[in-house]
Amino acid sequence: MLSVENLAKTYDSGDEALKGVSMEVSGNELVAIIGPSGAGKSTFIRCINQLTTPTAGSVLLDDVELTELSTGKLRDERRNMGMIFQEYGLVDRLTVMENVLSGRLGYVSMWNAFRRNFPADDVRHARATLDRVGLGGMEDKRADELSGGQRQRVGIARAVVQRPKILLVDEPTSSLDPESSRAVMDLLTEIAREDDIPVLINIHEVELALEYADRVVGFADGRIVFEGAPDEVDEDVRDTIYRGGTEGSLEAEPEPATESDDERPATPTER
Amino acid sequence: MATESIETAGEWDRFDRRERLLRYVALLGTVLLTYVSWQALNVRYSYLVTAPEMTLNLFRRMYPPDATYAPEIVAPMIATINIAVVGTILAIVMAIPVAYLGARNTTPNRYTYGLGKFLIVASRSVHVIIWAIVFVIVFGTGTLAGILAVAFRSVGFLAKLISEEIEEIDRTAVEAVEATGANGLKTMLYGIVPQVKPAFIGLSVYRWDINVREATIIGFVGAGGIGMELQTRIDFFDWSGVLTILLAILVVVIFSELLSAWVRGKVR
Amino acid sequence: MSGELADSEFASYDGEWERPTVFYNTAVKYLVYAVVLVFLVWNVVNVWVPIDRLLRGFGSAWLLVTSMFPPDFGVSIVVTPVQVGGYNVFVPSALAVDNDALRLWSGMIETLAMSIVATAIGVVISVPIAVMAAENLVPRPVYVVGRAIVSVSRALHELVIGIIVVVGFGFGALAGVIALVFATPGFLAKLLAEDLEDIDPTQMDAIRSTGASPIQVLLYGVAPQVMPRLIGLSIYRWDINIRAATILGVVGAGGIGNVLIRSFDRYDYQYSMAIILSIIAVVIVGEVASAVARRRVQ
């Protein structure tokens, strides 16, 4: 179970990206975070596995406080969190198999990592996972030979072979066409159910969020301004999230007019 | 309306004419500059008249190449290759930290960045022969001076291109490896090394190929290799021996060029 | 163990995986690595240097560096005392220039002159060689000759040619010019030939269909397509020739290199440093000027 409390992040530049966010994620639910660009969604996801160090607040993963860990301990905990990136985060010149197996790097010795010598169980799991994401037989291809949708599925496979306690997903579909986007969302839902882990997705396209999520969290200006079931997201709620309407938050600043473009769903090329 | 369009047409014409005029001025300037330079060189015209005859004469004295002399140049030729290889290895070892300093995304601060750039420019703008002179003074005549000259000359070239490669690294990929819980070394091994390895190998081999050529000349100032042998033959006016050496250089240089091109085609 | 898969199904997957290699198989791969390693080690062993010699070298390196500073350009400022309110105040009154400064100056002028003349001649002879080395423009035998000229010009360093011409013919700056002219096609003709091979053949055919002679086809169908590139490459080559001209004097082929090597011979290291710094300055200025000029042409 992931439990975040009063998480805040102020960048060196003085930008307050997060202004105290609290949230709990557990079971095998799929939680979608929606909100305009600059609302702090990405910062939130990155503050959970400490790729970005939060300024204040706490992050508890199964009762382990992540914000105060030593480097070594933090690495051990990172193995329990799978992360999926907007730009896939694949190493282009490595093979698909190496990219997937890099999810096990936290468990093998330096020398074995160097020789690409992973335990047989890891290799089996990697093969099985590639099959599962529909890339069976592509092990020896180089990552840069794949299409965008395929690359994102390699990214998912890498997170899955970590056998994580939670999946953190940062804008998985914003570089993809609508069809690949849906395939990726289907896959993430399936993983949440079958592997019985929660999935926390930060997503741009509202319609996809509403369709797939069990719970929707609306971010605006570094704060949570909405939390509820997908069918509770009506025009008023959208207004609150995207135009800083007065409904749920008095502090949220009105977004500039251009930002309302973000509301239009399923436009994969945005930003 | 009509007058306006005529006026615009005139404008275009004038612009075109100015462009053409500029071209003629540039051409005239180049010719003039060449003429002045030629005058500055104070070439005695008697030289020019006799030059073709002298060339022919020289070739006659060179040909045929002295085959019996060939075994004697094997050792200096091998030394030349040794200098190129070891000089390149040394250059790589020195270039990695310099590249690290000279790349915007890895350098610790503004001053180290400046230092990195300075080292790159300093190494690149001093010709190998000048490095060779300096190292011959320091270490005496021989291969060591040659190796150091080649190495110091190559550092800037390698560091510059490697730092550009480092600047182009995909940060997300490195972060993604980090996010799996891999430690610093493993992150480097899986996130950074694969991204820079092909360029690194390609550049090293390319520089080695250039260094073979450079290693043929540093002997003129005593820094070892075939150049020293060539100088001796020339000083003795042993022209057929000179031709033998030239042919040997030709073979070695062209071979290393082909080898380097082949390797670079292989890694990507 | 993997959640969704039965153990038996999971076990059916292959637990072995080996990274594919650009070599035919792992054995070949390790063989190649071994050969490369042996080659590298052989090179290092061949030139093995005793540590104490290296260490001694570092001592004399320090000595050399200290004796090179401050660089002496042969220019000094003359100061004369002026009485101001009962005190002697020294005021710079003139610039004293000695022979060293003059030699540095004239050597640099000669270097630049060599580079300009050599580039002009080099470009003129490179153009026909480039045409010869363009596969699409000439018959096969001519092409082979063209490529051979390019290869020889590339393989022999300009200093090698310089030293031969100096001893064989016995002249200074002209030897340098000849060496640079010799080296120019290896760069210019090679790159120009590559451009010629990429030209649009329909433009050539159009001229040919008017009944033009082969020379006319070259002039009207080919030349306009590669002219900007030729100018750009020529400027680039001039930049390279400046660099090369600064060191040709080391073997007696004229230019600032002559002055440099003589300064080393008489252990005038402060002057040597001044010359090296001047060379660096000229080379950098040439590089920047060439870059700017090439951008303007394109």
Side-chain angles (χ1 to χ4, degrees):
Chain A
M1 185 181 84
L2 177 77
S3 150
V4 178
E5 235 162 290
N6 268 323
L7 201 62
K9 171 69 187 176
T10 308
Y11 285 105
D12 291 342
S13 58
D15 293 324
E16 286 182 76
L18 290 178
K19 299 174 179 169
V21 173
S22 303
M23 187 190 292
E24 281 201 359
V25 186
S26 60
N28 59 8
E29 61 176 341
L30 198 139
V31 180
I33 303 173
I34 58 173
S37 358
K41 300 181 308 241
S42 272
T43 306
F44 178 68
I45 292 270
R46 295 170 57 89
C47 278
I48 292 173
N49 65 356
Q50 312 289 309
L51 279 182
T52 300
T53 316
T55 327
S58 85
V59 180
L60 288 168
L61 181 68
D62 284 357
D63 299 323
V64 180
E65 173 60 60
L66 299 182
T67 55
E68 284 161 4
L69 292 177
S70 66
T71 330
K73 285 274 188 311
L74 174 62
R75 281 203 297 265
D76 288 348
E77 280 307 315
R78 273 185 180 157
R79 301 186 301 196
N80 297 324
M81 296 176 281
M83 181 150 176
I84 291 155
F85 293 80
Q86 177 183 353
E87 302 291 345
Y88 324 125
L90 299 188
V91 183
D92 280 344
R93 291 198 177 95
L94 290 184
T95 57
V96 167
M97 192 59 156
E98 282 166 302
N99 270 296
V100 175
L101 283 175
S102 65
R104 301 301 295 172
L105 278 177
Y107 296 93
V108 297
S109 73
M110 185 65 209
W111 174 237
N112 280 334
F114 175 71
R115 293 192 304 149
R116 270 64 172 158
N117 184 17
F118 287 81
D121 256 4
D122 287 355
V123 177
R124 279 195 199 103
H125 191 201
R127 287 189 195 277
T129 309
L130 279 174
D131 251 1
R132 189 176 171 196
V133 300
L135 295 176
M138 300 256 208
E139 292 89 343
D140 291 348
K141 282 221 160 144
R142 255 167 57 151
D144 52 9
E145 295 171 41
L146 304 184
S147 72
Q150 289 174 323
R151 289 161 67 91
Q152 192 54 292
R153 281 181 277 155
V154 175
I156 293 172
R158 173 176 57 196
V160 168
V161 296
Q162 282 179 245
R163 300 180 202 278
K165 294 176 181 169
I166 184 170
L167 276 188
L168 307 170
V169 191
D170 188 13
E171 298 279 4
T173 57
S174 59
S175 314
L176 299 178
D177 59 86
E179 199 184 325
S180 309
S181 297
R182 302 187 68 83
V184 162
M185 293 305 288
D186 282 333
L187 194 57
L188 290 172
T189 318
E190 186 192 310
I191 290 164
R193 302 290 177 268
E194 290 179 355
D195 293 19
D196 198 29
I197 50 173
V199 176
L200 184 59
I201 303 186
N202 149 23
I203 189 164
H204 218 68
E205 295 93 334
V206 182
E207 299 310 322
L208 277 180
L210 299 185
E211 185 181 341
Y212 285 95
D214 300 312
R215 179 152 61 104
V216 174
V217 178
F219 267 51
D221 195 31
R223 286 194 172 82
I224 294 181
V225 293
F226 169 82
E227 196 164 358
D231 51 20
E232 288 171 44
V233 180
D234 53 19
E235 274 311 308
D236 280 352
V237 172
R238 289 185 188 217
D239 231 40
T240 312
I241 298 171
Y242 288 98
R243 300 206 189 84
T246 49
E247 203 82 346
S249 100
L250 293 166
E251 298 93 333
E253 307 257 306
E255 294 291 331
T258 49
E259 287 288 358
S260 64
D261 280 357
D262 284 347
E263 187 196 331
R264 228 182 294 134
T267 41
T269 50
E270 225 130 61
R271 353 170 169 188
Chain B
M1 251 347 241
T3 44
E4 207 181 291
S5 71
I6 286 170
E7 254 176 40
T8 5
E11 206 98 53
W12 270 109
D13 194 5
R14 217 184 308 155
F15 182 73
D16 203 32
R17 226 183 294 163
R18 202 178 62 185
E19 179 79 357
R20 214 180 309 158
L21 194 71
L22 213 72
R23 248 182 239 181
Y24 283 124
V25 169
L27 184 66
L28 195 73
T30 311
V31 172
L32 210 68
L33 193 63
T34 312
Y35 177 73
V36 171
S37 302
W38 177 255
Q39 290 297 315
L41 288 180
N42 274 326
V43 176
R44 265 190 258 154
Y45 287 92
S46 58
Y47 276 158
L48 282 186
V49 179
T50 52
E53 195 192 326
M54 285 168 83
T55 314
L56 213 66
N57 213 344
L58 189 64
F59 273 125
R60 223 173 277 138
R61 273 180 286 167
M62 279 184 170
Y63 192 83
D66 185 357
T68 56
Y69 170 59
E72 275 178 59
I73 59 173
V74 171
M77 210 69 224
I78 286 178
T80 304
I81 296 170
N82 290 157
I83 290 173
V85 172
V86 180
T88 309
I89 297 175
L90 204 59
I92 294 169
V93 172
M94 293 192 286
I96 292 173
V98 176
Y100 180 82
L101 292 181
R104 240 175 252 110
N105 51 350
T106 51
T107 196
N109 59 49
R110 206 147 33 92
Y111 303 103
T112 53
Y113 179 69
L115 176 68
K117 283 284 170 213
F118 170 76
L119 291 175
I120 288 173
V121 171
S123 154
R124 272 164 54 82
S125 42
V126 178
H127 197 278
V128 69
I129 208 87
I130 296 178
W131 283 118
I133 295 172
V134 169
F135 284 116
V136 166
I137 294 174
V138 172
F139 291 98
T141 323
T143 338
L144 177 59
I147 291 169
L148 291 173
V150 164
F152 274 69
R153 164 71 167 171
S154 310
V155 166
F157 173 92
L158 288 172
K160 176 170 187 273
L161 295 171
I162 295 171
S163 68
E164 282 170 9
E165 210 55 43
I166 294 177
E167 281 173 0
E168 275 172 22
I169 281 183
D170 174 9
R171 279 295 311 163
T172 320
V174 182
E175 246 177 8
V177 177
E178 215 180 327
T180 65
N183 64 21
L185 263 172
K186 287 180 201 163
T187 305
M188 200 156 123
L189 206 58
Y190 274 71
I192 297 173
V193 170
Q195 293 198 50
V196 296
K197 192 174 81 176
F200 184 75
I201 294 176
L203 288 175
S204 306
V205 174
Y206 183 41
R207 188 64 218 187
W208 168 75
D209 151 33
I210 298 175
N211 283 345
V212 171
R213 246 169 62 87
E214 305 230 302
T216 60
I217 56 150
I218 50 180
F220 298 156
V221 294
I226 192 76
M228 277 168 97
E229 185 66 24
L230 181 60
Q231 173 115 58
T232 318
R233 289 301 113 195
I234 292 174
D235 287 347
F236 289 159
F237 300 105
D238 173 11
W239 293 109
S240 57
V242 169
L243 186 58
T244 317
I245 293 178
L246 291 188
L247 291 175
I249 291 178
L250 213 60
V251 169
V252 170
V253 169
I254 290 177
F255 172 74
S256 47
E257 205 177 312
L258 292 176
L259 182 66
S260 142
W262 178 77
V263 172
R264 277 179 285 144
K266 202 88 177 167
V267 288
R268 37 169 208 124
Chain C
M1 58 183 340
S2 95
E4 80 295 352
L5 277 183
D7 280 355
S8 59
E9 205 178 333
F10 184 75
S12 71
Y13 284 101
D14 183 4
E16 293 284 314
W17 178 78
E18 216 163 62
R19 189 172 202 271
T21 157
V22 286
F23 308 106
Y24 304 97
N25 58 50
T26 352
V28 178
K29 180 173 99 176
Y30 286 118
L31 187 70
V32 171
Y33 286 176
V35 168
V36 171
L37 192 71
V38 167
F39 176 70
L40 295 182
V41 169
W42 170 74
N43 275 287
V44 174
V45 169
N46 245 356
V47 298
W48 194 252
V49 180
I51 286 295
D52 61 310
R53 193 171 154 211
L54 256 178
L55 292 179
R56 242 181 298 132
F58 283 120
S60 46
W62 179 244
L63 231 91
L64 178 65
V65 169
T66 48
S67 58
M68 278 179 147
F69 284 95
D72 175 13
F73 287 86
V75 180
S76 46
I77 297 164
V78 180
V79 289
T80 42
V82 177
Q83 290 271 335
V84 178
Y87 293 99
N88 268 339
V89 176
F90 291 90
V91 177
S93 60
L95 223 51
V97 178
D98 66 15
N99 276 339
D100 278 355
L102 292 177
R103 273 202 299 273
L104 177 58
W105 178 253
S106 64
M108 213 47 114
I109 295 293
E110 190 174 53
T111 298
L112 288 175
M114 278 160 62
S115 73
I116 291 168
V117 173
T119 308
I121 303 174
V123 169
V124 171
I125 68 161
S126 289
V127 170
I129 296 174
V131 174
M132 286 169 72
E135 212 170 2
N136 54 337
L137 297 179
V138 293
R140 189 81 198 164
V142 180
Y143 168 72
V144 172
V145 173
R147 292 302 303 191
I149 295 175
V150 168
S151 287
V152 172
S153 160
R154 269 171 69 78
L156 296 180
H157 201 283
E158 53 265 14
L159 271 192
V160 172
I161 304 303
I163 199 171
I164 291 173
V165 177
V166 166
V167 180
F169 296 180
F171 31 65
L174 188 56
V177 171
I178 292 174
L180 293 178
V181 168
F182 182 90
T184 299
F187 170 87
L188 198 64
K190 178 173 187 275
L191 295 179
L192 190 61
E194 281 164 16
D195 282 294
L196 287 171
E197 284 170 356
D198 286 341
I199 60 167
D200 174 13
T202 54
Q203 292 188 38
M204 246 169 80
D205 291 342
I207 305 288
R208 194 176 291 139
S209 67
T210 64
S213 72
I215 298 292
Q216 283 169 321
V217 171
L218 279 181
L219 279 180
Y220 297 101
V222 178
Q225 294 190 55
V226 294
M227 206 55 198
R229 178 79 175 147
L230 173 62
I231 295 172
L233 285 175
S234 303
I235 298 171
Y236 193 10
R237 182 63 213 186
W238 177 49
D239 167 23
I240 299 173
N241 278 345
I242 294 177
R243 282 163 190 266
T246 58
I247 47 107
L248 274 166
V250 170
V251 296
I256 188 75
N258 252 327
V259 189
L260 178 66
I261 196 83
R262 261 184 275 140
S263 78
F264 274 112
D265 286 346
R266 42 173 232 245
Y267 306 104
D268 191 353
Y269 294 141
Q270 281 173 290
Y271 185 38
S272 309
M273 193 65 204
I275 298 171
I276 292 176
L277 290 177
S278 310
I279 290 177
I280 293 175
V282 168
V283 165
I284 290 178
V285 169
E287 194 173 312
V288 171
S290 139
V292 170
R294 271 181 290 152
R295 213 172 307 136
R296 285 223 50 183
V297 172
Q298 267 126 40

